[in-house]
Amino acid sequence: MNKMMRYGVTSLMAAGLISHTLPGWSAEARTPQNDPALRARTKWWRDARFGMFVHWGLYAVPAGYYRGQPVGGFGGEWIMDAAKIPIAEYEKYAAQFNPVEFNAREWARTAKAAGMKYLVFTSKHHEGFSMFDTAVNRYDIVDATPYRKDPVKDLAQACRAEGIKLAFYYSIVDWHRPELMGNDVKPEDVDRYVNGQMKPQLRELITKYDPALFWFDGEFVNWWSEERGRDLERYLRSLKSDLIINNRIGKKTIRDGDYETPEQEIPANSLASGRLWETCMTMNDTWGFQRSDNNWKSTSDLTRKLIDIASKGGNFLLNVGPTAEGVIPEPSMERLREMGQWMKQNGEAIYGTEKSPYRRHPFDGRCTVKGNTLYIHAFTWPSEGLHLPGLKTTIRGARVLGSGEKVDISSSTSPGEPKGVTLRRPSRLDPIATVIAVRLEGVPQVEEPPFVVRTNAQGGINLKAIDAEVHGKSAVLEGGGDQAHIGAWMNAADYVTWNAQVDRPGTYRVEVEYAVAPDSAGAAYSVQAERTPEVKPNSGTPISAASATSVNGTVSSTGGWGNFRTESIGTMRLESGRQKVTVRANSKPGLAVMNFRRVLLTPVQQ
Ligand code: FHN
């Protein structure tokens, strides 16, 4: 059972699919489009695009080890839970916590030099230890440790001095309160916690340090509710109306807080709901300091993630886990320095930008937009030039960011694609991403070429959710990369399509990968393939006729919405050429048809 299930959470609840609408609150997603106050208070945050997450607490003392043994799973900041350390024993770490090397000004300068515009600091994580000077109890860094100083006071001053917005992470979960553990927590105990600790501490954090944003966490426990989240939000806004608050103040529904918080993953595209969002991610695998976790992502990978996120209109909250001495680990510092060098030259293509006009980028890289400028972030550059199909807006000129080198542009076409342009390769390329600022006569408009799934080297065709067109009212792409799936398929009339190019006619095995909870199994569905007739270019003479074939399947339980399974549902004969493949639901006995990940077409050896 994963950690979330231990606390009684259901994934659909977490996905905000089966929550109720509270009186006085809108049933729809809260977005900058439909909430002017949200749009106004999030302006600086949307422009910032890039922030630092700091996970620092007592857990830095054990640093992933307990009684000399490494603690698996979430061994960093979750060590108290993962190693089942009793409260009285865990409290003893406080006497060992003396971060004499902590330098708030150095942290703020490091974030600034990396190009980060805000810093989210763990004021209290699940362990229940307050990393600031609180009057609510004595389980805090000033009263319980030999350090005896308030690092948050220094951090607030340092962030102000460096122009970095300060924000606080605050955990709803509190393992220092045994009455809040388990599945039978009493409402009156929650009331006592909210009124006797949470609200007074949040008031302290606001009045003493003036944060710009609250990053709530721990919403997954079954004794927390949307209603309690709304009450807390009302309370906070009564203290500071322009506070930005994330969606984990409630139950992570599209009605909670100001923005979504995908974790360790990047959504496939900007969110269909129009919600603001921020991906939070570790540089290695652990949030809190874990001394043996050296699985570091490269600077190039982290920077390209920032570019990818900005191209989809999101923010990137990148984590550091300082040591018990108060030092940010050197591998993190190295990556922050290198990202800062890239941002120094290319930051204008990230800050204050909007998402790309392309849903799928027709080159190895991404785009961002600011006014009449299209920024092209090229990860690699074809020797024949970088082709940009479908750009409809007239170009005034293009230059390489940093060097200012002029880039020659010529018009170009490619079979089956709308007319476009080709950018000549600059004299020097940046190994992380070369950024070209293309000045246009107006806001960039593109006619996106149809995305076609090609036959792979094994002769198969892998129709992934991330490459699909989703049609209908509720189904939506969830998650990112190859793990993405079509979720929230609550409307049986919704359907999914791809354009596929079949290179070799023949019989193909049809396999489907999906997940569904036992109480929603039983939906009937079909996979159809229709070959679009092809005609000879410039003559209209048909060179291939239309054809259609389909296979039917029934969704059987996989044990849960997150338990994916692949099953073969039969074979179909496919002619070569362009095929439109469609997955349709023919019935929906349960809450949703399924969480659908992909169709795999594999040639059957004759
Ligand atoms: O349980 C926490 C975890 O320790 C960490 O703080 C992450 C960061 O977003 N949030 C929760 C897991 O979703």
Side-chain angles (χ1 to χ4, degrees):
M1 180 188 295
N2 73 20
K3 62 176 183 177
M4 304 298 188
M5 297 317 288
R6 255 208 308 282
Y7 295 89
V9 74
T10 60
S11 58
L12 279 179
M13 167 68 91
L17 293 177
I18 47 176
S19 56
H20 52 283
T21 304
L22 298 172
W25 289 83
S26 155
E28 61 180 14
R30 291 161 66 184
T31 71
Q33 287 67 39
N34 63 25
D35 184 336
L38 186 155
R39 182 169 60 246
R41 63 175 171 258
T42 57
K43 175 72 169 70
W44 72 262
W45 181 85
R46 288 179 278 123
D47 288 345
R49 288 278 172 253
F50 191 25
M52 178 185 275
F53 211 168
V54 181
H55 274 72
W56 197 34
L58 284 189
Y59 40 79
V61 175
Y65 282 72
Y66 179 58
R67 293 182 177 166
Q69 295 304 314
V71 175
F74 293 82
E77 72 290 349
W78 270 71
I79 193 167
M80 180 176 171
D81 176 84
K84 303 210 178 333
I85 304 173
I87 290 176
E89 186 176 349
Y90 191 84
E91 287 172 341
K92 292 174 185 167
Y93 288 127
Q96 303 168 49
F97 192 48
N98 189 12
V100 293
E101 295 181 50
F102 168 65
N103 181 323
R105 196 66 184 265
E106 193 176 285
W107 284 20
R109 284 183 177 139
T110 298
K112 183 176 183 179
M116 296 162 154
K117 298 292 185 182
Y118 59 105
L119 185 151
V120 180
F121 179 82
T122 48
S123 63
K124 180 179 77 78
H125 205 271
H126 308 338
E127 64 181 5
F129 184 77
S130 298
M131 289 294 287
F132 63 99
D133 185 13
T134 179
V136 167
N137 60 39
R138 300 185 61 76
Y139 195 47
D140 69 59
I141 191 164
V142 173
D143 297 313
T145 76
Y147 187 61
R148 309 208 66 75
K149 289 182 286 183
D150 181 354
V152 174
K153 181 180 168 209
D154 297 338
L155 198 55
Q157 287 167 357
C159 285
R160 266 193 301 276
E162 297 295 334
I164 297 285
K165 293 273 190 183
L166 177 63
F168 291 127
Y169 168 110
Y170 189 90
S171 172
I172 294 163
V173 169
D174 192 313
W175 295 330
H176 198 248
R177 297 181 73 115
E179 75 278 13
L180 299 180
M181 302 299 286
N183 284 327
D184 303 318
V185 173
K186 297 184 183 62
E188 55 271 26
D189 286 335
V190 179
D191 293 339
R192 198 171 300 115
Y193 168 54
V194 170
N195 297 320
Q197 178 172 347
M198 280 185 81
K199 288 184 174 179
Q201 286 197 314
L202 294 169
R203 173 185 283 271
E204 285 180 315
L205 289 167
I206 291 172
T207 52
K208 293 167 72 145
Y209 314 110
D210 191 28
L213 180 150
F214 270 108
W215 211 99
F216 284 93
D217 203 7
E219 81 300 326
F220 46 76
V221 286
N222 61 8
W223 48 262
W224 192 252
S225 66
E226 273 195 73
E227 217 142 15
R228 289 191 182 276
R230 297 283 182 279
D231 170 65
L232 198 57
E233 183 170 350
R234 271 191 286 266
Y235 173 73
L236 290 172
R237 295 214 183 285
S238 72
L239 298 175
K240 188 173 185 203
S241 61
D242 64 349
L243 268 178
I244 298 177
I245 301 170
N246 74 348
N247 66 344
R248 303 189 189 191
I249 188 170
K251 296 299 279 186
K252 284 181 33 174
T253 75
I254 54 175
R255 294 172 297 281
D256 288 323
D258 298 320
Y259 66 94
E260 308 285 287
T261 52
E263 182 172 319
Q264 303 286 32
E265 64 175 17
I266 300 171
N269 290 294
S270 56
L271 302 187
S273 62
R275 284 274 279 176
L276 298 175
W277 58 277
E278 168 198 75
T279 280
C280 58
M281 194 173 282
T282 53
M283 289 197 200
N284 50 8
D285 293 326
T286 322
W287 298 97
F289 180 60
Q290 217 282 18
R291 65 173 187 262
S292 58
D293 179 357
N294 290 300
N295 187 28
W296 300 99
K297 301 172 183 74
S298 71
T299 300
S300 177
D301 179 25
L302 291 168
T303 310
R304 290 183 177 184
K305 284 174 167 37
L306 171 61
I307 294 167
D308 181 34
I309 287 167
S311 80
K312 297 165 181 171
N315 279 29
F316 192 25
L317 186 62
L318 185 56
N319 185 71
V320 297
T323 66
E325 295 70 29
V327 175
I328 296 174
E330 181 50 28
S332 297
M333 292 294 288
E334 179 188 346
R335 284 150 181 80
L336 290 170
R337 283 193 295 269
E338 292 168 352
M339 290 182 82
Q341 286 163 4
W342 188 89
M343 285 296 280
K344 193 171 179 186
Q345 173 168 305
N346 303 292
E348 77 170 74
I350 300 289
Y351 300 130
T353 58
E354 303 291 331
K355 67 182 180 183
S356 171
Y358 289 99
R359 187 169 173 278
R360 280 191 196 81
H361 289 78
F363 62 94
D364 182 18
R366 298 293 184 270
C367 289
T368 53
V369 173
K370 197 184 303 184
N372 292 351
T373 300
L374 176 68
Y375 293 99
I376 295 170
H377 305 248
F379 299 156
T380 56
W381 202 293
S383 53
E384 69 275 12
L386 189 146
H387 177 56
L388 207 53
L391 181 59
K392 316 304 287 177
T393 319
T394 307
I395 294 172
R396 295 178 59 184
R399 60 182 173 84
V400 181
L401 282 194
S403 69
E405 178 186 352
K406 185 176 174 302
V407 176
D408 294 335
I409 294 180
S410 54
S411 63
S412 56
T413 54
S414 179
E417 290 191 340
K419 193 166 74 67
V421 295
T422 295
L423 289 81
R424 178 187 51 74
R425 183 191 177 109
S427 56
R428 194 185 77 77
L429 296 179
D430 183 318
I432 293 179
T434 304
V435 183
I436 310 297
V438 182
R439 286 176 297 108
L440 302 166
E441 293 290 352
V443 173
Q445 304 292 329
V446 302
E447 177 193 343
E448 192 156 353
F451 184 81
V452 180
V453 179
R454 305 288 173 182
T455 301
N456 59 34
Q458 293 72 37
I461 301 169
N462 189 359
L463 303 169
K464 296 181 278 188
I466 196 167
D467 295 328
E469 291 293 335
V470 185
H471 309 263
K473 298 195 185 93
S474 74
V476 65
L477 190 65
E478 294 178 338
D482 287 351
Q483 299 308 301
H485 64 265
I486 308 296
W489 196 340
M490 328 276 274
N491 177 12
D494 293 359
Y495 62 99
V496 183
T497 61
W498 297 264
N499 296 302
Q501 184 65 30
V502 176
D503 291 346
R504 201 167 43 211
T507 302
Y508 286 75
R509 185 173 61 251
V510 182
E511 293 175 287
V512 179
E513 184 179 3
Y514 65 83
V516 72
D519 58 5
S520 284
Y525 66 93
S526 63
V527 177
Q528 302 153 342
E530 300 159 276
R531 186 175 68 173
T532 43
E534 288 175 284
V535 294
K536 194 172 283 184
N538 308 322
S539 77
T541 313
I543 48 178
S544 67
S547 65
T549 178
S550 73
V551 177
N552 296 324
T554 303
V555 175
S556 52
S557 170
T558 65
W561 295 103
N563 301 354
F564 284 86
R565 184 179 65 220
T566 300
E567 61 186 40
S568 175
I569 61 169
T571 60
M572 57 170 56
R573 168 128 189 106
L574 295 177
E575 301 306 327
S576 58
R578 186 65 56 88
Q579 300 269 358
K580 181 179 178 185
V581 180
T582 304
V583 176
R584 282 185 194 283
N586 304 319
S587 68
K588 185 190 69 105
L591 186 78
V593 174
M594 56 177 145
N595 279 349
F596 166 75
R597 183 168 278 168
R598 66 171 177 161
V599 175
L600 181 60
L601 303 174
T602 308
V604 175
Q605 303 310 329
Q606 301 296 359

